[in-house]
């Protein structure tokens, strides 16, 4: 069975990185290693990770620093390039993996035809978490059916076969202007390389809905990254823009709900 490395880019994530690593430590199948790559954090991110390493010396957690350039892409690359696993799991610092995540990824990649995979998300700080998971899974499976050759990858919950990563790594966009979705860029280059990208409902991870706390202008800029990414690669298929409509459609209600929850929490104090 393939071994799995987990790579976690981090920038000022002291509030969430501990929970992320606790979920990794609770895996029913142990990953080959866990690589946290810190990118110029000014908070206590490194200290939290160092404490987790000290408390779990045999867990295979490594803390790297990427100080050459601010940004997710060089930080992601620094971890993915040195990972030793047959499969490279890529999650965010606010991701909380389900306990069987590594086991599920191992199962998926036991099929030698699979080069990459994503799965559904549970938003752990939104109400009706189980219902939200089912809706998220349904929408993602629908998007896979619409995607044709360009099945998406989702950076908070994805895994890539190391061989496939090394094949496309020289061709990935550097995106110095920071206007694209880096996970979609990986998926596009994998598709162009003839790699098979899958979606599996069993590969489940939790994440925060903190993105919808952004103001309307910033959230729209985030959503427009879909269009920028596909356009930059010369891909015109309108079906691939479906997530833009979904995100923009649910944003007002979720943004308002979270604002009310913060106000109520402040009153309770």
């Amino acid at each position: 069975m393939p071994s799995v490395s987990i790579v976690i880019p981090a920038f000022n994530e002291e509030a969430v990185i501990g929970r992320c690593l606790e979920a990794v430590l609770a895996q029913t199948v142990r990953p080959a290693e866990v690589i946290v790559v810190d990118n110029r954090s000014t908070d206590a991110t490194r200290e939290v990770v160092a404490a987790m390493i000290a408390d779990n010396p045999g867990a295979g957690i490594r803390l790297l620093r990427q100080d050459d350039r601010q940004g997710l892409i060089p930080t992601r690359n620094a971890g993915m390039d040195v990972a030793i696993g047959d499969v490279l799991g890529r999650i965010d610092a606010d991701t909380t993996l389900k306990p069987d995540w590594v086991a599920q990824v191992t199962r998926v990649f036991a099929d030698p035809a699979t080069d990459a995979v994503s799965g559904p998300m549970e938003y752990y700080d939104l109400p009706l978490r189980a219902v939200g998971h089912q809706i998220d899974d349904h929408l993602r499976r629908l998007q896979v059916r619409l995607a044709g050759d360009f099945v998406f990858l989702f950076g908070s919950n994805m895994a890539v076969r190391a061989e496939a990563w090394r094949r496309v790594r020289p061709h990935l966009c550097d995106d110095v202007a920071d206007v694209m979705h880096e996970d979609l860029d990986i998926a596009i280059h994998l598709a162009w390389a003839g790699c098979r990208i899958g979606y599996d409902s069993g590969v489940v991870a939790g994440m925060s809905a903190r993105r919808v706390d952004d103001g309307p202008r910033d959230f729209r800029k985030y959503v427009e990254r879909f269009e920028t990414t596909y356009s930059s690669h010369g891909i015109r298929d309108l079906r691939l823009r479906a997530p833009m409509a979904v995100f923009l459609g649910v944003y007002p209600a979720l943004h308002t709900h979270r604002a009310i929850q913060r106000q109520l929490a402040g009153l309770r104090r």
Side-chain angles (χ1 to χ4, degrees):
M1 301 295 284
S3 59
V4 179
S5 294
I6 297 177
V7 176
I8 311 169
F11 168 67
N12 285 350
E13 301 286 7
E14 65 175 350
V16 293
I17 189 64
R19 178 190 294 180
C20 175
L21 290 175
E22 287 172 357
V24 171
L25 292 172
Q27 292 298 297
T28 58
V29 173
R30 180 174 167 177
E33 60 182 347
V34 183
I35 303 174
V36 180
V37 188
D38 179 71
N39 180 211
R40 300 182 178 179
S41 290
T42 58
D43 65 359
T45 296
R46 288 191 297 274
E47 288 77 6
V48 172
V49 177
M52 294 289 289
I53 293 173
D55 291 342
N56 302 275
I61 304 173
R62 302 167 57 191
L63 175 59
L64 306 182
R65 295 182 62 166
Q66 193 285 111
D67 294 334
D68 293 339
R69 183 180 128 203
Q70 191 75 55
L72 174 57
I73 289 177
T75 306
R76 173 203 72 192
N77 292 347
M80 301 279 275
D81 288 346
V82 301
I84 62 173
D86 302 314
V87 175
L88 311 181
R90 152 84 167 88
I91 63 175
D92 288 333
D94 67 341
T95 300
T96 56
L97 300 176
K98 285 293 188 178
D100 65 345
W101 189 86
V102 172
Q104 294 287 350
V105 168
T106 302
R107 170 186 60 80
V108 171
F109 282 89
D111 178 358
T114 298
D115 294 299
V117 72
S118 276
M121 302 301 300
E122 287 186 355
Y123 296 89
Y124 52 70
D125 48 7
L126 286 179
L128 302 176
R129 179 172 175 173
V131 175
H133 170 205
Q134 293 175 5
I135 294 172
D136 183 270
D137 184 37
H138 175 76
L139 291 174
R140 292 182 191 277
R141 286 189 281 112
L142 175 61
Q143 179 60 19
V144 168
R145 290 197 294 271
L146 294 173
D149 294 333
F150 298 103
V151 177
F152 66 87
L153 289 171
F154 187 49
S156 295
N157 180 16
M158 59 174 275
V160 181
R161 196 175 297 276
E163 180 183 352
W165 167 258
R166 288 190 289 267
R167 191 186 316 171
V168 302
R169 170 68 170 86
H171 309 290
L172 298 178
C173 297
D174 204 26
D175 191 23
V176 176
D178 191 23
V179 295
M180 292 193 288
H181 281 310
E182 52 86 25
D183 44 7
L184 291 185
D185 178 62
I186 295 174
I188 290 168
H189 285 280
L190 286 170
W192 281 343
C195 296
R196 176 185 169 191
I197 302 172
Y199 176 83
D200 194 290
S201 296
V203 181
V204 184
M207 68 175 293
S208 171
R210 58 183 177 172
R211 174 65 66 181
V212 297
D213 293 338
D214 291 347
R217 179 175 296 181
D218 287 339
F219 188 79
R220 187 170 190 87
K221 286 182 178 178
Y222 167 78
V223 173
E224 287 174 348
R225 286 173 175 258
F226 285 95
E227 176 63 34
T228 304
T229 305
Y230 289 125
S231 296
S232 298
H233 294 80
I235 299 171
R236 307 298 179 188
D237 192 337
L238 292 178
R239 295 174 300 175
L240 297 173
R241 276 67 171 180
M244 297 178 63
V246 173
F247 284 132
L248 292 174
V250 302
Y251 168 77
L254 294 180
H255 181 76
T256 301
H257 169 79
R258 286 175 64 83
I260 292 172
Q261 290 300 106
R262 289 195 298 273
Q263 291 176 359
L264 292 175
L267 290 175
R268 286 194 290 268
R269 295 195 192 98

